[in-house]
Amino acid sequence: MAANETPYRYDAARACEIELHWQARWLADGANRAANPGDPGFDASRPKYYILDMFPYPSGAGLHVGHPEGYTATDILTRYKVMRGFNVLHPMGWDAFGLPAEQYAVQTGVHPAVTTRSAIDNFRRQLQRLGFAYDWSREFGTIDPDYYRWTQWIWLRAYHSYYDESRACARPIAELEAQCADEDRATGTDGTPWSKCTPAQRQGYLDTVRLAYIGVQTVNWCPALGTVLANEEVVDGRSERGSHPVFRMPLRQWMFRITAYAQRLLDDLAIVEWPESTRTMQAEWIGRSEGADVQFAVAGFGALTIFTTRPDTLFGATYMVVAPEHPLVEWACAHNPASAADIGGYVTRARNRSDLDRQAESRDKTGIPLGLTATNPATGLPIPIWVADYVLMAYGTGAIMAVPAHDERDFAFATRFSLPIRQVVAAADGTAFSADAAACEAGIACNSSNHELSLNGLPTASAARAMIDWLQSKGCGVRRINFRLRDWLFSRQRYWGEPFPVVFDESGMHYPVSPEALPVQLPTLADYAPVQSDQPLPPLGKATQWVQTTAGAAGVDVRLLDPQTPVRRETNTMPGWAGSCWYYLRYCDPRNSTRFVSKEAEHYWMGDRGVDLYVGGSEHAVLHLLYARFWHKMLFDLGEVTTREPFAKLYHQGMITSFAFERADGTLVATDAVHEVNGGWVETANGAPVTRVIAKMSKSLKNVVTPDEVVAEYGADTLRLYEMSMGPLADSKPWNTRDIAGVFRFLQRVWRLAIDERTGELLLARAPDAAVERLLHRTIHKVAHDIEKLAFNTAIASLIELVNAATRPTAMIDAADGGLTRDQMNRFLRALSPFAPHICEALWEKLGEASSVTTSQWPVVDVAMLVDESIEMPVQIQGKVRARVQVPTAADAAQIEAIVLSDAMVVQAMAGRTAKKVIVVPKRMVNVLV
RNA sequence: AGGCCUGUGGCGGAAUUGGCAGACGCAGCGGACUUAAAAUCCGCAGAGUUCACCCUCAUCCGGGUUCAAGUCCCGGCGGGCCUACCA
């Protein structure tokens, strides 16, 4: 009965029908295609805008409602910018190589090429079902040979380049080779002139300067994952992914010399419009510190060099510590057989301890004396040298001078082993030095003089300068800037990644594959499982036919190697980050088969400052965003791109969380094990009360929501609108299924405003209501303003207010009464369309408009409609609101004051007292002080 | 341990950045329509107080600046994120 009365209602079925219809049409019409310069239909007079979402990694589980949050935001902005006359590039693709896909394949026994493709298909289906205005003609995946061909090409560009410190940019390594030959430069450790060097020696030298180089490094080896990991992928001594233990071991690996770019990566954080927190995290990761290298003489050994940020405390250095891996340790054992066993024992224990264990013991310092002394260059006194694992080989020089009086770690160590503590800095505020804690703050140097130098009385900064000057004059120290950032380990012992375009001959020398021979295709391997072992064994090693080949077959330039030469391919693969380092460039020109991106397309879409808006999660604040910046800067130096930075403006959407329930003991309960009892919640099994808390969505808590289920129940427009109305884009917000009904009802009201649910006929007002017309102008104005601010929640609130104001009461039978006129409806639909494009298309068509609402112009606002003739102003007496007065909008402060003081309510509230002072803020408020 | 962010009704959140706290939505309550319900429409709705009006109190707690503080400053408490022996 009821259904018959309103057969044209906007319900889930109708929403879905409309959405599928328009999604198919957009795709068929190429509605969201962006034309490149030179393409038919390209309009050079329009400004460009490049809006990018972070590359999704398609997992087998499909999308959850967190994914579309950022995508909906960028979609709204895209549609808005298009209506504003911009050429908008808004692409989507897939980051599909890497560990998770491979792990999933190993678990299921289905080849990653298969599982990845089906995951991509599923992601694409889900995204298209939400009606996002991506230019799907630009879609690609990192696993496409047409794409990774260029990933390999960029790697080769780095391989063929070195960092010219004098010019602070990357240059072709051929230039350096030519210089070496011209000058017959002595290279390497033994000083052999270039002309006398063997090819292997020359290559060895060049490998010390290449941007993509091979070298022996202490790496993070994760036996459970069967691969090594980058520093960025290791958290608390465990793998970031899967949380498996990670061990340190030396290995010959491909690296990127990202450290050459440390200063520029730091400096250029100033020219990007990024969240402060993200810039801070990158700056801290790069970790610049200023200080000095200081040499301490060790009898027999030579100089022990340390790095310190506090050269001003050199007089307080009472002992030294080297890392267990430091060469001095081995030397000490060789020269002091008596204690060699003890030292060796300590070093072995320290080395076998994973970083995780070191972490667990945290402040409990361990160490053992080396039985050596060094001479403190400032005091001339001998000080003992210890080995301890609180000093890290990878930072600085792997050795420190210990100043226990002014360094917490050294203080803890000195206390533990009863080493002397010598104060050399006095607190600036005169606080006396206490022997139970280190005083690390800057202060005034004291007890710091020898017969040539006195720092006494100098504040820390100038004391440090004076000390460095003195050390430099004595030739035993030098000013130095040190970075925490280390070179980027770029090899993985896994199958599912880009192969390196490089081969080795029998002597172990490496040769690049020539660019024309790219891509080096990843061979199809039936057994791709990682080998769990103590030693890294790349799975590609099993493809013996592929690995063992000839220089000619591998595509090595004949000028480098005779085509018949037997060579072995590199069996490591690139890490998952490789593909995402440059995908934003490929989107500019995704089908180019002769260049990674045409100069013209790159120049047009990247413009002066790169991607205009980049939206993605803050979890990539360091890893992806640092790597991509590094690649971009290399490409910039090599003349391949035109901007210094890839992403001009970055925005992190917040996480969508969910509810879970917590027992009295703090443990969590799955949502399906709880039910609501008059306003509270109890655990179904035992009736015990539980409290609702906010938690991450997880399978175990049964609180994961997928877009598919929401779309089925309400439609895509409702899902989009709900996610945008939840709160500020940047905040983390809990999903509350109950709230979705609110925005769904809003869309139903929009529909009902335009359509008679009983007949399906248009409902349009005869004449515009003046108040509604004013409100419409204000709404459109506010929505535009809010979209530019990415404040979608408040934009939606104002659209709701407008619809509520325009909604005709049920009792109003005549369709031509109330509601919106055709012209008003037209403008309203255009303003709503970026948020809920499908329903707007359907109603737009009902209005008789021929083309799509998405190609219409953003409605024009009459600024005269934004101001009223008179406004109500609150009047405070003594800071409390006691009255409201109506004043002309144009009234100045004096006129307002006059109106206020003559107002009956005000007079009454003042109770005969006289105004001592009247503060008038036009258009805001009035405060009368009596 | 340090750094950054954050704290507003029963709930998600607004507040033009110092100017009427609680927009909008959820949940709730009342009314109209209906035989009834659903749906819809119209209202109410921070707390206190003898309907209402008024008044008082109210943006985690305590101080401060100001004619005026959710907003700025100082101190404390709670929540979140990041870093964590980096010399």
Side-chain angles (χ1 to χ4, degrees):
Chain A
M1 178 75 178
N4 290 346
E5 281 178 11
T6 56
Y8 295 93
R9 226 182 136 83
Y10 182 81
D11 55 16
R14 172 152 280 107
C16 289
E17 182 196 327
I18 290 169
E19 288 164 6
L20 291 169
H21 170 76
W22 283 97
Q23 284 158 11
R25 243 180 90 172
W26 292 332
L27 272 182
D29 296 352
N32 304 312
R33 292 258 178 102
N36 267 18
D39 287 353
F42 175 76
D43 182 351
S45 69
R46 293 166 173 245
K48 73 95 186 180
Y49 203 82
Y50 186 175
I51 307 179
L52 183 65
D53 292 301
M54 279 186 190
F55 232 11
Y57 192 95
S59 73
L63 296 182
H64 60 79
V65 290
H67 286 103
E69 190 195 8
Y71 302 158
T72 305
T74 54
D75 191 64
I76 291 166
L77 191 67
T78 297
R79 291 174 178 278
Y80 170 78
K81 286 282 181 187
V82 168
M83 293 175 83
R84 284 289 202 179
F86 285 78
N87 286 331
V88 179
L89 179 60
H90 185 44
M92 178 50 72
W94 321 106
D95 185 17
F97 269 135
L99 268 165
E102 193 170 348
Q103 302 280 74
Y104 183 72
V106 170
Q107 281 164 26
T108 57
V110 183
H111 197 276
V114 176
T115 56
T116 305
R117 286 293 168 194
S118 69
I120 288 175
D121 289 343
N122 190 39
F123 262 57
R124 186 194 304 104
R125 175 191 64 77
Q126 288 184 299
L127 291 180
Q128 289 183 343
R129 186 60 189 80
L130 297 178
F132 294 137
Y134 292 118
D135 179 352
W136 288 104
S137 74
R138 292 175 187 258
E139 174 195 354
F140 59 80
T142 53
I143 55 173
D144 301 343
D146 281 346
Y147 180 80
Y148 71 71
R149 167 187 181 181
W150 298 107
T151 309
Q152 293 171 337
W153 180 84
I154 294 170
W155 183 84
L156 278 177
R157 296 286 279 133
Y159 172 90
H160 287 299
S161 304
Y162 76 107
Y163 198 77
D164 182 341
E165 294 289 350
S166 64
R167 281 190 280 184
C169 79
R171 300 298 308 165
I173 205 158
E175 288 180 5
L176 181 67
E177 277 188 85
Q179 283 170 28
C180 288
D182 283 356
E183 302 165 12
D184 201 17
R185 193 178 288 178
T187 56
T189 47
D190 57 357
T192 313
W194 187 257
S195 59
K196 301 280 194 307
C197 284
T198 64
Q201 282 175 314
R202 288 178 185 171
Q203 185 167 80
Y205 167 70
L206 294 176
D207 283 344
T208 66
V209 296
R210 276 183 209 284
L211 286 178
Y213 67 98
I214 194 164
V216 177
Q217 298 288 329
T218 301
V219 299
N220 304 298
W221 165 243
C222 179
L225 292 175
T227 185
V228 299
L229 299 170
N231 292 324
E232 291 82 354
E233 294 170 299
V234 179
V235 178
D236 290 347
R238 289 181 170 272
S239 60
E240 188 199 25
R241 187 164 281 283
S243 200
H244 305 293
V246 169
F247 301 92
R248 300 183 71 80
M249 66 182 295
L251 208 61
R252 192 159 187 249
Q253 297 283 307
W254 287 103
M255 308 287 293
F256 263 116
R257 204 173 301 281
I258 189 172
T259 49
Y261 284 84
Q263 189 65 53
R264 283 166 63 192
L265 288 168
L266 186 64
D267 290 344
D268 285 350
L269 287 172
I271 65 168
V272 292
E273 208 179 321
W274 284 20
E276 197 53 47
S277 59
T278 302
R279 291 192 299 192
T280 303
M281 280 168 68
Q282 288 220 350
E284 285 175 356
W285 187 263
I286 294 166
R288 179 192 150 107
S289 41
E290 293 182 23
D293 273 349
V294 183
Q295 287 163 6
F296 287 65
V298 179
F301 178 78
L304 175 59
T305 304
I306 59 100
F307 173 73
T308 177
T309 55
R310 291 292 299 275
D312 61 296
T313 62
L314 184 50
F315 283 95
T318 54
Y319 65 100
M320 302 186 76
V321 187
V322 297
E325 299 88 352
H326 196 279
L328 182 63
V329 175
E330 212 171 305
W331 188 87
C333 290
H335 288 76
N336 190 1
S339 53
D342 288 345
I343 296 170
Y346 175 76
V347 169
T348 309
R349 262 178 285 126
R351 191 171 289 163
N352 285 352
R353 233 172 331 167
S354 69
D355 282 2
L356 182 67
D357 295 334
R358 290 196 193 184
Q359 198 68 43
E361 295 176 25
S362 141
R363 310 276 165 207
D364 269 349
K365 298 278 186 290
T366 62
I368 189 167
L370 281 181
L372 300 170
T373 60
T375 306
N376 181 325
T379 61
L381 298 172
I383 55 176
I385 307 176
W386 287 58
V387 56
D389 65 5
Y390 84 92
V391 172
L392 310 174
M393 192 60 216
Y395 184 78
T397 62
I400 62 156
M401 67 174 195
V403 185
H406 306 292
D407 182 283
E408 276 177 36
R409 299 149 301 180
D410 298 343
F411 181 85
F413 191 83
T415 310
R416 168 85 176 72
F417 294 106
S418 306
L419 290 157
I421 297 170
R422 174 180 159 142
Q423 183 200 2
V424 292
V425 180
D429 62 4
T431 313
F433 182 72
S434 137
D436 22 274
C440 308
E441 301 77 29
I444 307 296
C446 63
N447 304 327
S448 296
S449 68
N450 57 31
H451 61 281
E452 291 179 14
L453 170 75
S454 175
L455 305 179
N456 292 339
L458 292 179
T460 293
S462 37
R465 276 194 298 274
M467 176 56 87
I468 293 173
D469 290 344
W470 182 76
L471 288 167
Q472 276 175 334
S473 74
K474 303 294 284 183
C476 58
V478 64
R479 189 179 311 277
R480 161 136 169 237
I481 290 157
N482 197 49
F483 291 95
R484 200 186 85 123
L485 183 71
R486 291 174 226 153
D487 277 345
W488 177 15
L489 173 78
F490 201 64
S491 309
R492 296 292 183 278
Q493 291 70 50
R494 297 297 296 232
Y495 168 65
W496 195 235
E498 299 88 345
F500 283 87
V502 68
V503 299
F504 299 90
D505 69 11
E506 283 163 339
S507 72
M509 288 211 8
H510 50 82
Y511 300 88
V513 171
S514 59
E516 301 73 41
L518 298 178
V520 177
Q521 293 254 8
L522 181 66
T524 305
L525 206 58
D527 176 18
Y528 43 80
V531 188
Q532 283 211 20
S533 77
D534 298 339
Q535 279 300 313
L537 297 170
L540 275 183
K542 297 179 204 166
T544 47
Q545 299 267 310
W546 179 81
V547 174
Q548 305 294 343
T549 181
T550 62
V556 177
D557 193 315
V558 292
R559 285 166 295 184
L560 290 176
L561 217 50
D562 183 277
Q564 302 306 315
T565 317
V567 295
R568 183 173 53 79
R569 289 185 197 265
E570 170 64 65
T571 53
N572 286 301
T573 54
M574 297 186 193
W577 308 106
S580 58
C581 278
W582 73 284
Y583 72 109
Y584 58 95
L585 293 169
R586 187 65 177 170
Y587 280 139
C588 298
D589 190 16
R591 304 287 170 251
N592 196 319
S593 57
T594 57
R595 261 186 70 79
F596 76 115
V597 57
S598 78
K599 288 196 185 268
E600 196 184 17
E602 185 274 333
H603 202 254
Y604 181 72
W605 290 116
M606 294 295 283
D608 298 329
R609 45 203 292 268
V611 173
D612 295 279
L613 179 69
Y614 192 25
V615 176
S618 58
E619 67 273 18
H620 294 111
V622 174
L623 298 157
H624 157 64
L625 288 167
L626 190 66
Y627 296 152
R629 292 180 64 217
F630 163 57
W631 276 41
H632 195 87
K633 288 192 181 304
M634 281 197 308
L635 292 168
F636 174 77
D637 285 355
L638 298 172
E640 303 291 356
V641 299
T642 51
T643 65
R644 272 158 71 190
E645 284 286 326
F647 313 120
K649 182 170 180 175
L650 174 70
Y651 201 90
H652 297 307
Q653 84 277 14
M655 193 176 18
I656 293 193
T657 54
S658 198
F659 291 121
F661 297 88
E662 195 175 72
R663 298 190 184 94
D665 63 2
T667 55
L668 292 176
V669 191
T671 44
D672 63 348
V674 165
H675 66 269
E676 199 171 350
V677 175
N678 47 35
W681 291 271
V682 297
E683 197 170 347
T684 307
N686 54 19
V690 290
T691 51
R692 193 169 77 166
V693 294
I694 288 167
K696 274 189 180 180
M697 286 194 185
S698 75
K699 280 181 197 160
S700 61
L701 291 176
K702 301 264 174 34
N703 58 6
V704 179
V705 183
T706 69
D708 288 348
E709 31 187 308
V710 182
V711 166
E713 198 169 343
Y714 297 101
D717 280 335
T718 296
L719 173 64
R720 295 166 56 111
L721 221 41
Y722 173 61
E723 294 214 359
M724 293 301 99
S725 68
M726 290 170 76
L729 184 60
D731 291 4
S732 113
K733 309 162 277 276
W735 184 270
N736 191 355
T737 302
R738 199 184 264 173
D739 289 346
I740 304 172
V743 283
F744 183 59
R745 286 200 280 255
F746 163 64
L747 288 181
Q748 287 185 311
R749 260 194 321 277
V750 169
W751 181 266
R752 202 177 294 123
L753 192 57
I755 300 287
D756 187 326
E757 295 186 319
R758 294 160 302 183
T759 64
E761 294 302 309
L762 264 181
L763 287 177
L764 292 171
R766 253 185 298 258
D769 177 275
V772 168
E773 179 63 18
R774 293 186 89 79
L775 186 58
L776 180 57
H777 281 274
R778 278 155 205 240
T779 303
I780 293 167
H781 181 73
K782 176 165 174 58
V783 168
H785 188 72
D786 285 354
I787 290 176
E788 307 247 13
K789 286 195 303 181
L790 307 183
F792 304 113
N793 54 332
T794 49
I796 292 168
S798 66
L799 286 163
I800 293 174
E801 282 182 82
L802 173 73
V803 170
N804 289 349
T807 292
R808 60 191 107 228
T810 318
M812 203 173 276
I813 304 299
D814 188 343
D817 288 330
L820 298 179
T821 64
R822 177 179 296 274
D823 174 63
Q824 288 175 325
M825 180 60 72
N826 177 302
R827 281 175 287 149
F828 167 70
L829 289 176
R830 282 186 275 157
L832 177 64
S833 69
F835 300 86
H838 310 90
I839 189 174
C840 290
E841 287 280 34
L843 295 175
W844 186 255
E845 191 176 47
K846 279 271 186 195
L847 282 185
E849 297 291 337
S851 60
S852 157
V853 68
T854 61
T855 58
S856 65
Q857 297 284 302
W858 184 256
V860 175
V861 171
D862 177 0
V863 289
M865 293 294 232
L866 303 180
V867 286
D868 289 311
E869 282 177 13
S870 74
I871 53 166
E872 187 189 78
M873 281 179 68
V875 179
Q876 297 181 343
I877 313 289
Q878 300 292 74
K880 289 195 186 291
V881 180
R882 299 296 181 191
R884 289 164 221 284
V885 294
Q886 204 66 31
V887 300
T889 309
D892 63 21
Q895 291 169 312
I896 293 170
E897 184 174 332
I899 295 167
V900 165
L901 292 179
S902 61
D903 183 82
M905 281 290 290
V906 176
V907 169
Q908 191 194 335
M910 285 172 68
R913 293 167 293 184
T914 51
K916 286 201 193 105
K917 189 176 180 186
V918 181
I919 294 152
V920 179
V921 184
K923 295 180 187 163
R924 288 276 172 269
M925 69 139 50
V926 178
N927 195 359
V928 181
L929 304 179
V930 294

